Amino acid sequence: MATTGLQHVAAMYAGVVAPPLIVGAAVGLSPKELTFLTGACLFTAGLATFLQTLGVWKIGARLPFVNGVTFAGVAPMIAIVDSTKDKDDALPVIFGAVIVAGLLGFLAAPFFSKAVRFFPPVVTGTVITLIGISLMPVAFGWAQGPNPAADDYGTGKYLALAGITLLIVLLLRRFTRGFVKQIAVLLGLVLGTLVAIPFGVTDFAPVTEADAVGFPTPFHFGAPQFQAAAIVSLCVVMIVSMTESTADMLALGEIVDRPADERTIAAGLRADTLGSAVSPLFNGFMCSAFAQNIGLVAMTRIRSRYVVAVGGGFLVLMGLCPMAASLIAVVPRPVLGGAGVVLFGSVAASGIQTLVKAGLEKDNNVLIVAVSLAVGLIPIAEPEFYHAFPETAKIILDSGISTGCVAAVVLNLLFNHLGKGQEADEVTAPMEPGEDIADTRAISSPSGV
């Protein structure tokens, strides 16, 4: 349980620390303060993961979900920093906006969750496939090296390390069995890091320079400030985050054979939004479910939410112990990239499996999938496509998952529900909340979910 939980942390660590590093650098934090901000985000990610996996009352999807800082908020947070005259006020303004957005999202969760009835297999399969495809550029970026501005970025040295790591994971999955096979990704990261030492790209300085103990003091950077423009900006981000979390819950529900109904999605969104509202208390940012861990669940077939809760425990410990947090920071980016190809590709493969059930022999469904995938791929294939749009609109449009999801839902309604002349057996009926889903409170799951 400990090693598989740590594997989840290893898979999402880079995604958690990237936003605070980027925003902290924009604010102009010192290295010590930057380390503090990163540790705070790890700590709050652990708390949000507890809330999502273990749950309390009607809060938490109780699925094997890892929660962490959403990358969707980075661009608007940088805009807030740039528009704040006194940079010392930038983080308090961001924290105040996150608190309001989180509370409003918590209140809206039960209404937002009703959208589940508009997610039949033709929609969910498309969205799950887009999640995997959208994450692949992250792995490709990691594989090319730690610094895109460096002269050696994308050179054979880094690509070789990514390829070696990928090969290690594949060989472990092919020729081992049982426990070793289940932790193949974690072993791949460890062995890949060892292989990277002779290449001179493994830096152990984060361990030697980190403090042994450090608690994220509440409101370390100042009391939250509430500015209307910042609040509106991050409320838009919250809508995007809730949309992507809904898609992630639907994806994970398919993978663990427990389709997410309206009640599950509402509980999961409450955990996301409440975690986001509480996070600024400990100097953290907006939290959301991490899609990369869906690939890990799909690949290992370890479906227990308690394993992921243990991963949340590791995140909390890393937040309290910067030295422990820095251990995973030692893993070179190319090594993460090699493992990421397997993880993110597994998500896309799960989406294709769902599309098999979507009735693609029907022309209407083929059109829904074709157009939705095309719309979702725009930000990946042509990142500057929406450059002329306002910044607020680009927050949504630059998320291929969100735009592809909206396109799939709208097209499914247009082709499969608005036409009166179609025969009932020629359309994909929407999944009603709870339909064909056993009451998980009355039936214990053998998979441990």
Side-chain angles (χ1 to χ4, degrees):
M1 183 174 281
T3 53
T4 49
L6 184 60
Q7 187 171 235
H8 275 283
V9 176
M12 53 86 76
Y13 177 83
V16 174
V17 301
L21 289 175
I22 296 171
V23 176
V27 174
L29 297 181
S30 65
K32 185 175 181 180
E33 294 287 9
L34 198 58
T35 300
F36 179 90
L37 183 63
T38 303
C41 288
L42 288 168
F43 179 77
T44 54
L47 296 182
T49 299
F50 283 150
L51 198 60
Q52 190 68 271
T53 55
L54 302 180
V56 56
W57 186 55
K58 295 182 180 181
I59 302 171
R62 293 169 174 83
L63 289 170
F65 254 133
V66 174
N67 273 45
V69 182
T70 175
F71 208 87
V74 172
M77 286 192 290
I78 293 297
I80 292 172
V81 173
D82 292 339
S83 63
T84 304
K85 294 182 179 180
D86 187 351
K87 299 305 178 186
D88 291 338
D89 293 332
L91 286 176
V93 169
I94 291 173
F95 292 149
V98 171
I99 291 173
V100 175
L103 292 176
L104 291 177
F106 183 85
L107 296 175
F111 306 101
F112 199 91
S113 66
K114 295 184 184 299
V116 69
R117 68 186 63 203
F118 303 115
F119 287 82
V122 68
V123 175
T124 57
T126 302
V127 174
I128 295 167
T129 303
L130 276 173
I131 291 173
I133 295 174
S134 297
L135 289 170
M136 291 306 296
V138 177
F140 299 151
W142 289 343
Q144 295 181 77
N147 184 10
D151 293 335
D152 62 350
Y153 184 72
T155 57
K157 174 177 65 174
Y158 293 130
L159 298 182
L161 281 175
I164 291 171
T165 303
L166 174 59
L167 181 62
I168 291 172
V169 174
L170 293 176
L171 291 175
L172 288 172
R173 290 288 300 177
R174 174 62 182 85
F175 295 107
T176 62
R177 58 182 62 182
F179 179 70
V180 174
K181 185 175 183 178
Q182 292 174 345
I183 63 169
V185 173
L186 179 60
L187 292 176
L189 291 174
V190 173
L191 295 175
T193 301
L194 295 177
V195 171
I197 293 177
F199 286 81
V201 298
T202 304
D203 183 12
F204 292 96
V207 177
T208 59
E209 297 175 0
D211 295 330
V213 179
F215 182 79
T217 311
F219 300 131
H220 176 81
F221 296 99
Q225 300 179 24
F226 304 95
Q227 294 185 4
I231 290 172
V232 171
S233 178
L234 290 189
C235 279
V236 173
V237 174
M238 178 59 72
I239 294 173
V240 173
S241 177
M242 292 172 73
T243 302
E244 295 187 358
S245 288
T246 299
D248 291 344
M249 279 182 269
L250 290 167
L252 189 58
E254 290 289 334
I255 291 171
V256 302
D257 297 326
R258 180 190 156 190
D261 59 8
E262 183 178 320
R263 182 179 58 190
T264 301
I265 292 175
L269 292 178
R270 288 191 188 99
D272 271 5
T273 53
L274 182 60
S276 297
V278 173
S279 185
L281 173 65
F282 299 101
N283 314 283
F285 298 137
M286 189 179 294
C287 294
S288 178
F290 265 49
Q292 46 263 63
N293 293 82
I294 299 175
L296 194 57
V297 174
M299 192 183 69
T300 63
R301 306 304 296 174
I302 298 177
R303 306 172 178 183
S304 173
R305 60 191 172 105
Y306 299 106
V307 166
V308 178
V310 169
F314 278 116
L315 290 171
V316 171
L317 290 176
M318 288 178 176
L320 297 175
C321 179
M323 187 174 291
S326 64
L327 287 174
I328 292 186
V330 171
V331 179
R333 287 292 180 88
V335 174
L336 286 172
V341 169
V342 178
L343 295 177
F344 306 154
S346 297
V347 177
S350 297
I352 295 172
Q353 289 176 336
T354 303
L355 284 175
V356 171
K357 311 171 188 176
L360 294 185
E361 70 279 1
K362 302 169 185 175
D363 290 342
N364 285 352
N365 288 344
V366 171
L367 284 173
I368 293 169
V369 175
V371 175
S372 300
L373 285 177
V375 171
L377 287 173
I378 288 175
I380 302 173
E382 188 58 52
E384 299 300 321
F385 188 84
Y386 299 112
H387 73 277
F389 285 73
E391 290 298 322
T392 303
K394 287 197 291 184
I395 295 173
I396 299 175
L397 296 174
D398 283 342
S399 172
I401 299 171
S402 297
T403 55
C405 179
V406 171
V409 170
V410 172
L411 290 173
N412 181 63
L413 289 173
L414 175 64
F415 281 98
N416 290 336
H417 300 287
L418 297 183
K420 299 297 184 180
Q422 295 173 320
E423 296 295 332
D425 59 351
E426 292 181 354
V427 300
T428 302
M431 181 180 69
E432 294 296 335
E435 181 178 87
D436 297 329
I437 300 173
D439 191 338
T440 54
R441 293 175 299 179
I443 301 176
S444 59
S445 171
S447 63
V449 177

